[in-house]
Amino acid sequence: MKQKTIFITAAALLVLAFIASMLFYNSRQSAQATAHAAQNQEALSRFHAPTIGSADAPVHIVEFLDPACETCSAFYPMVKELMAAHPGKIRLSVRYAPFHQGSDQVVKILEAARKQGKYWETLEALLASQSYWVKHHAAQVDAVWNLLDGLGMSLGLNKEQIRNDMNAPEIARLIAQDIADTKTLNVTKTPEFFVNGKPLPSFGYNQLKTLVEDELAGAKAK
């Protein structure tokens, strides 16, 4: 019995030591990620990024997004709800990380829609209908064009103008810059969030919400 007690105690100590080491490792990784982001602020926030919300909002969320990413589609309504819960306090900028096959073409379509003043409506419509045009983690661009037939009617999009505008050199440069910045910032998955320049300590909506609320509380205390 005594040996069994010693064994159980030793096992428990090993588990506690493992948990402590993991917490220390995660804390260290988070600190390193925060320091890295702080050193690369120029790569984080670019003037060309689509942005919604008040320019003087105390909290700025930068989201690296892939329009073909299922998790991005799931998170987008939650981010909007978070913004609605704090009216005028949060600004959102979208950066592109088109990691899925064909996503770069969808980004070009989105940017061409922006030229018509229909960016956010088009983004939301594509994310909401993602299951139709994303198959096996790849964007089916022909299906996106089929969707645009309906969106042209409901949103007032000029589909032919999108075809003409999507291959503009400035759009290609914008995408290239965002891809380069994902490498600089070590963004390897989507969605990736930064709140006032700080990365999430770990991925999840609760982590995003907590970081946003901490930043809001800090701004209020100043």
Side-chain angles (χ1 to χ4, degrees), residues 186-197:
N186 296 327
V187 173
T188 58
K189 61 185 183 304
T190 54
E192 185 79 72
F193 295 98
F194 295 82
V195 178
N196 286 352

Side-chain angles (χ1 to χ4, degrees), residues 58-59 86 89-90 195-196 198 209-222:
V59 172
H86 304 281
K89 302 295 184 182
I90 301 173
V195 178
N196 286 352
K198 301 173 184 177
K209 184 172 180 288
T210 297
L211 187 51
V212 166
E213 290 177 346
D214 286 347
E215 290 297 307
L216 286 170
K220 189 175 181 179
K222 289 180 180 178

Side-chain angles (χ1 to χ4, degrees), residues 104-143:
D104 58 333
Q105 296 302 306
V106 182
V107 169
K108 290 180 180 180
I109 290 170
L110 285 169
E111 284 298 312
R114 178 151 63 134
K115 288 177 175 287
Q116 297 182 34
K118 301 291 183 180
Y119 177 81
W120 296 101
E121 300 95 321
T122 305
L123 174 64
E124 290 180 16
L126 288 179
L127 290 177
S129 60
Q130 192 186 74
S131 60
Y132 172 76
W133 57 271
V134 176
K135 304 296 180 185
H136 308 296
H137 306 290
Q140 310 298 310
V141 182
D142 287 343

Side-chain angles (χ1 to χ4, degrees), residues 17-148:
F18 175 76
I19 292 173
S21 65
M22 287 302 297
L23 289 173
F24 174 77
Y25 174 79
N26 290 337
S27 176
R28 184 177 180 183
Q29 289 289 96
S30 178
Q32 289 175 343
T34 299
H36 184 74
Q39 293 167 3
N40 293 279
Q41 286 297 302
E42 183 180 343
L44 182 60
S45 184
R46 299 284 183 183
F47 73 93
H48 64 245
T51 300
I52 191 170
S54 175
D56 59 357
V59 172
H60 184 200
I61 299 175
V62 176
E63 176 182 0
F64 280 86
L65 174 147
D66 183 329
C69 162
E70 184 177 353
T71 309
C72 294
S73 178
F75 262 72
Y76 187 79
M78 293 188 283
V79 174
K80 284 195 68 179
E81 288 176 8
L82 187 58
M83 294 179 71
H86 304 281
K89 302 295 184 182
I90 301 173
R91 179 164 52 111
L92 171 67
S93 295
V94 171
R95 306 294 307 282
Y96 300 118
F99 296 147
H100 290 70
Q101 181 181 343
S103 286
D104 58 333
Q105 296 302 306
V106 182
V107 169
K108 290 180 180 180
I109 290 170
L110 285 169
E111 284 298 312
R114 178 151 63 134
K115 288 177 175 287
Q116 297 182 34
K118 301 291 183 180
Y119 177 81
W120 296 101
E121 300 95 321
T122 305
L123 174 64
E124 290 180 16
L126 288 179
L127 290 177
S129 60
Q130 192 186 74
S131 60
Y132 172 76
W133 57 271
V134 176
K135 304 296 180 185
H136 308 296
H137 306 290
Q140 310 298 310
V141 182
D142 287 343
V144 175
W145 285 116
N146 291 336
L147 276 172
L148 286 178

